């Protein structure tokens, strides 16, 4: 078997999950004319990492089996929904690399039909208006060990229920004073079948339908019927909806469809140190704990996009996680691994010093003036007399043709503070009094001759020389180990660099009662860095590998050439290896 065939076989094996096996069997049995799936978010927040798995699955299987996937907004609760959420969800899906069939759908577009079907259930004796208070309904629902108590209105006539439901529609009831319930079984061991509420009064304007309605269907009622209206063949959802499937099937059966949809459940995406509760994420936004839904620390698609994660990396992550029925917790490092893999051959290189330490080259003029034009051509460099700057031309990527960049080399440089230690720890391989020589990336061998400290003993400046013969050459008669990055002090550009750790220090933030106690106080650190000019001049949204530091992106909101701002995407490497 060729390497190419082997890679394809591995991909096929990864995608051979139980959902795809079900669809494959249905396709082989010619059960449907076409496979139709849907991604049905509620527009009450921004999409998060858990949604990414559902998006990849629903859109992925539709494409694999020659079908289509709908984007449908299950917008049945106008108090929590906004057009802003709708717009961002559409942007997120497109950014992830998927296109839905036709125009986006809305459950609110079906409100007339859903209302008609609610009347049908009343006429069939399968629904009734309940005038109990919400507290009474909750108390009379019973428990897992005790059957529920029927409502006093449960056995009212069809005519009475039709009149009451019409009064609800006409706005004659205040919120909480009347609901429409399905009439199923108050003693069912499945609490979702104990006469669930299917319509409630809400005197709220809807972002799509305006003030046409003051009653709105419940999600569990609207969802299966929306699936049926759209001809969904495989309604894929996470395991928390497994107990809701009997009601899904009940609604579909009671209304009656020639080709009914079927619901299939898969395990939700659980990632350690990550929270995907929209309610708690909203709390972080509302309290100003994060800067917004797109804060780069947030596990929202908007936040991950601003952080610099790639759609390719997120799709690869979801493919590696796979689709099962067993709940598990995924190591966050797998996500970072996938993102890092996607960045290796797609990002240009650059040098940025995150914690600058000044270096003055005492023989700069003498060393630079000693090379001739022929030498300059051989190392692809030019010297600007006016600014006393040696401009070095280097590729933007060592292995991929991305063009070239010019790097200024001057008498005064910055290196990282961590690259010089007066008393280095064991195994330290950079600069120290005992090891004064090192190669500066793409330039000369540098030798430290003196270090200057402040009153606290901290090194604040190095004096050094460069070996003129080592530009593009190894030094004669000695071996210099180690290469460090640098930035010109006079030509480099001050920049803000945001370093990130996980937003939550708790491994399972959802298990912590108070979300504040799960937060990592070191989730964001801002550094006053200096970057080479090619980085500062890049457009917002451009990703880079800062040499020896990691992968970064020019922030989409705050970055400018005058005031560059970069967000750390992921570290340069990690010991983690996927199974």
């Amino acid at each position: 078997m060729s390497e190419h065939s082997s890679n394809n076989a591995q991909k096929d094996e990864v995608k051979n999950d139980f959902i795809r096996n079900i669809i494959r069997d249905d396709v082989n049995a010619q059960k449907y004319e076409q496979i139709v799936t849907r991604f049905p978010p509620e527009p009450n927040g921004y999409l998060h990492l858990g949604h990414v798995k559902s998006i990849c699955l629903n859109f992925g299987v539709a494409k694999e089996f020659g079908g289509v996937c709908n984007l449908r907004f299950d917008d049945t609760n106008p108090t929590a929904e906004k057009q802003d959420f709708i717009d961002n969800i559409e942007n997120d899906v497109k950014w992830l690399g998927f296109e839905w069939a036709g125009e986006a759908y809305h459950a609110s577009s079906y409100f007339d039909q859903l209302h008609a079907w609610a009347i049908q259930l009343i006429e069939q004796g399968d629904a009734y208006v309940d005038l109990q208070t919400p507290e009474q309904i909750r108390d009379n629902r019973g428990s897992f060990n005790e059957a529920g108590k029927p409502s006093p209105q449960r056995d009212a006539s069809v005519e009475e229920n039709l009149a009451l439901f019409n009064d609800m529609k006409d706005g004659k009831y205040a919120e909480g004073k009347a609901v429409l319930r399905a009439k199923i079984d108050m003693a069912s061991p499945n609490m979702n079948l104990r006469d669930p509420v299917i319509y409630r009064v809400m005197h709220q304007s809807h972002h799509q339908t305006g003030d046409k309605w003051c009653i709105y269907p419940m999600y569990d009622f609207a969802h299966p019927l929306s699936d049926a209206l759209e001809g969904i063949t495989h309604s894929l959802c996470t395991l928390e909806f497994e107990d809701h499937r009997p009601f899904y099937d009940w609604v579909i059966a009671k209304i009656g469809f020639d080709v009914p949809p079927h619901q299939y459940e898969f395990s939700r995406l659980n990632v350690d140190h990550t929270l995907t509760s929209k309610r708690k994420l909203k709390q972080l936004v509302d309290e100003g704990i994060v800067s917004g839904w797109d804060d780069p620390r947030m596990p929202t698609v908007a936040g991950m996009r601003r952080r610099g994660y790639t759609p390719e990396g997120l799709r690869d992550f979801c493919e590696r996680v796979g689709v099962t029925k067993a709940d598990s917790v995924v190591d966050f490092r797998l996500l970072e691994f996938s993102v890092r893999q996607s960045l290796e051959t797609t990002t240009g290189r650059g040098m940025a010093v995150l914690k600058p330490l000044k270096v003055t080259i005492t023989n700069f003029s003498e060393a630079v003036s000693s090379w001739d034009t022929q030498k300059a051509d051989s190392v692809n460099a030019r010297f600007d007399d006016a600014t006393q700057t040696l401009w070095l031309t280097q590729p933007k990527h060592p292995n991929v043709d991305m063009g070239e960049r010019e790097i200024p080399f001057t008498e005064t440089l910055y290196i990282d503070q961590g690259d010089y230690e007066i008393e280095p720890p064991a195994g330290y391989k950079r600069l120290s009094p005992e090891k004064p020589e090192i190669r500066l990336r793409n330039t000369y061998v540098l030798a430290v001759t003196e270090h200057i400290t402040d009153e606290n003993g901290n090194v604040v400046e190095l004096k050094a020389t460069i070996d003129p013969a080592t530009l593009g050459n190894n030094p004669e008669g000695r071996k210099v180990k180690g290469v460090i990055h640098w930035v010109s002090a006079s030509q480099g550009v001050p920049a803000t660099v945001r370093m990130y750790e996980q937003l939550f220090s708790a491994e399972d933030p959802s298990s912590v009662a108070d979300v504040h106690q799960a937060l990592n106080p070191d989730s964001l650190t801002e550094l006053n860095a200096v970057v080479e000019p090619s980085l500062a001049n890049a457009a917002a949204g451009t990703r880079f590998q800062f040499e020896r530091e990691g992968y970064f992106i020019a922030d989409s909101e705050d970055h400018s050439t005058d005031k560059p701002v970069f967000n750390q995407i992921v570290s340069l490497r990690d010991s983690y290896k996927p199974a």
Side-chain angles (χ1 to χ4, degrees):
M1 179 181 291
S2 70
E3 183 179 350
H4 179 73
S5 299
S6 175
N7 288 339
N8 284 343
Q10 289 174 2
K11 282 198 170 185
D12 289 342
E13 184 178 351
V14 169
K15 294 187 178 182
N16 191 28
D17 54 69
F18 81 97
I19 291 289
R20 288 174 169 86
N21 288 339
I22 290 170
I23 297 176
R24 191 171 289 114
D25 290 343
D26 289 344
V27 169
N28 292 336
Q30 298 183 334
K31 188 173 180 180
Y32 305 105
E33 292 184 8
Q34 184 182 42
I35 299 301
V36 185
T37 61
R38 85 289 171 271
F39 174 61
E42 298 174 69
N44 58 358
Y46 281 43
L47 298 184
H48 54 62
L49 187 56
H51 292 116
V52 176
K53 178 180 178 180
S54 180
I55 291 170
C56 289
L57 178 60
N58 278 287
F59 283 92
V61 297
K63 182 177 180 180
E64 290 165 36
F65 293 97
V68 296
C69 181
N70 294 346
L71 172 64
R72 179 178 73 242
F73 295 100
D74 277 337
D75 52 351
T76 60
N77 182 8
T79 62
E81 298 163 357
K82 297 179 182 178
Q83 186 62 42
D84 171 61
F85 294 145
I86 292 175
D87 295 340
N88 277 279
I89 289 170
E90 290 185 349
N91 290 337
D92 288 347
V93 174
K94 290 178 182 177
W95 178 78
L96 284 167
F98 300 103
E99 289 289 339
W100 50 89
E103 297 293 323
Y105 293 83
H106 295 79
S108 56
S109 300
Y110 311 139
F111 280 175
D112 287 305
Q113 181 61 71
L114 296 174
H115 177 257
W117 278 331
I119 291 175
Q120 177 183 331
L121 290 179
I122 294 173
E123 292 174 338
Q124 293 171 181
D126 292 317
Y128 63 94
V129 173
D130 192 347
L131 301 179
Q132 295 182 100
T133 66
E135 293 74 22
Q136 289 172 323
I137 292 175
R138 183 177 60 249
D139 293 342
N140 291 334
R141 195 167 175 236
S143 65
F144 290 109
N145 300 317
E146 181 183 5
K149 299 176 182 177
S151 165
Q153 288 83 40
R154 194 171 195 268
D155 294 323
S157 67
V158 168
E159 292 73 21
E160 184 178 356
N161 280 309
L162 288 173
L164 290 172
F165 189 53
N166 191 61
D167 287 344
M168 287 174 58
K169 175 180 175 293
D170 288 345
K172 296 181 180 180
Y173 287 100
E175 294 183 15
K177 297 299 182 180
V179 295
L180 183 68
R181 299 178 70 177
K183 189 176 183 180
I184 308 178
D185 182 3
M186 288 300 293
S188 173
N190 185 335
M191 302 292 283
N192 296 293
L193 295 181
R194 294 188 182 180
D195 292 9
V197 174
I198 59 177
Y199 260 91
R200 77 284 209 200
V201 175
M202 298 179 73
H203 294 283
Q204 297 285 339
S205 180
H206 192 281
H207 50 88
Q208 298 294 317
T209 61
D211 295 321
K212 179 179 179 180
W213 299 91
C214 64
I215 56 171
Y216 292 95
M218 298 296 289
Y219 174 89
D220 278 358
F221 178 70
H223 183 79
L225 294 176
S226 298
D227 282 351
L229 280 167
E230 294 173 15
I232 303 301
T233 58
H234 298 78
S235 182
L236 310 178
C237 58
T238 47
L239 278 174
E240 63 261 37
F241 292 98
E242 187 172 27
D243 289 341
H244 296 246
R245 180 167 19 106
F247 181 60
Y248 183 106
D249 293 339
W250 182 91
V251 172
I252 294 296
K254 288 295 182 180
I255 300 302
F257 294 94
D258 294 335
V259 184
H262 292 277
Q263 176 176 301
Y264 303 92
E265 305 88 16
F266 60 92
S267 61
R268 65 178 297 166
L269 179 59
N270 299 305
V271 180
D272 63 13
H273 298 279
T274 304
L275 189 67
T276 54
S277 162
K278 279 193 285 187
R279 179 179 60 81
K280 291 185 178 180
L281 293 178
K282 183 177 183 297
Q283 179 184 351
L284 298 179
V285 175
D286 292 344
E287 293 183 4
I289 294 172
V290 294
S291 60
W293 286 96
D294 67 343
D295 188 300
R297 294 168 292 175
M298 289 279 275
T300 56
V301 176
M304 292 185 290
R305 179 168 62 246
R306 187 172 176 184
R307 172 79 177 262
Y309 287 8
T310 63
E312 296 82 6
L314 290 172
R315 294 197 302 266
D316 178 74
F317 169 67
C318 290
E319 186 169 316
R320 290 176 184 275
V321 169
V323 181
T324 69
K325 266 191 169 291
D327 272 327
S328 61
V329 178
V330 179
D331 194 321
F332 186 84
R333 292 177 297 172
L334 177 59
L335 171 60
E336 293 187 321
F337 175 87
S338 290
V339 172
R340 191 179 293 111
Q341 290 285 101
S342 72
L343 294 168
E344 170 59 30
T345 58
T346 59
T347 55
R349 302 322 194 227
M351 291 192 292
V353 176
L354 306 189
K355 297 179 180 180
L357 172 62
K358 182 181 178 182
V359 179
T360 301
I361 302 172
T362 57
N363 69 332
F364 178 83
S365 297
E366 174 188 346
V368 171
S369 64
S370 68
W371 55 286
D372 55 26
T373 304
Q374 185 176 358
K375 170 81 171 180
D377 290 341
S378 68
V379 295
N380 206 0
R382 64 181 178 87
F383 187 72
D384 183 348
D385 284 317
T387 60
Q388 289 292 292
T389 302
L390 176 63
W391 289 92
L392 302 159
T393 300
Q394 293 293 322
K396 292 182 178 179
H397 193 287
N399 304 312
V400 180
D401 185 7
M402 294 183 179
E404 296 178 325
R405 72 194 203 269
E406 277 198 316
I407 310 169
F409 183 79
T410 53
E411 181 178 12
T412 306
L413 308 175
Y414 289 121
I415 66 171
D416 195 87
Q417 292 174 9
D419 284 335
Y420 185 86
E421 290 285 351
I422 298 177
E423 298 179 1
Y428 187 79
K429 297 180 179 179
R430 285 157 285 167
L431 289 167
S432 68
E434 289 74 31
K435 184 183 178 297
E437 278 196 328
I438 205 161
R439 167 77 69 176
L440 295 175
R441 175 79 77 186
N442 303 316
T443 62
Y444 300 92
V445 169
L446 176 127
V448 176
T449 57
E450 179 187 359
H451 66 255
I452 301 170
T453 60
D454 62 15
E455 62 274 15
N456 297 317
N458 300 313
V459 178
V460 294
E461 184 181 355
L462 301 177
K463 302 289 186 179
T465 61
I466 54 176
D467 184 341
T470 58
L471 181 62
N473 296 307
N474 291 321
E476 294 184 8
R478 67 192 192 280
K479 181 176 285 188
V480 176
K481 294 183 179 180
V483 179
I484 62 173
H485 65 288
W486 53 274
V487 171
S488 164
S490 59
Q491 302 283 350
V493 181
T496 298
V497 173
R498 297 166 177 163
M499 304 295 290
Y500 295 106
E501 294 181 9
Q502 289 166 321
L503 182 57
F504 300 101
S505 55
E507 184 171 344
D508 180 11
S510 64
S511 67
V512 180
D514 183 352
V515 69
H516 301 86
Q517 296 176 355
L519 292 169
N520 175 10
D522 300 318
S523 61
L524 169 62
T525 301
E526 290 196 351
L527 300 176
N528 295 318
V530 182
V531 302
E532 65 172 82
S534 67
L535 299 181
N537 293 332
T542 307
R543 299 179 182 86
F544 294 96
Q545 183 193 110
F546 288 0
E547 298 192 40
R548 297 180 66 230
E549 295 290 358
Y551 292 98
F552 293 79
I553 187 172
D555 186 74
S556 59
E557 300 297 324
D558 300 330
H559 175 84
S560 68
T561 55
D562 294 332
K563 295 182 178 179
V565 178
F566 295 92
N567 301 328
Q568 180 193 36
I569 306 173
V570 288
S571 61
L572 196 57
R573 59 182 62 87
D574 193 287
S575 59
Y576 176 82
K577 297 294 182 183

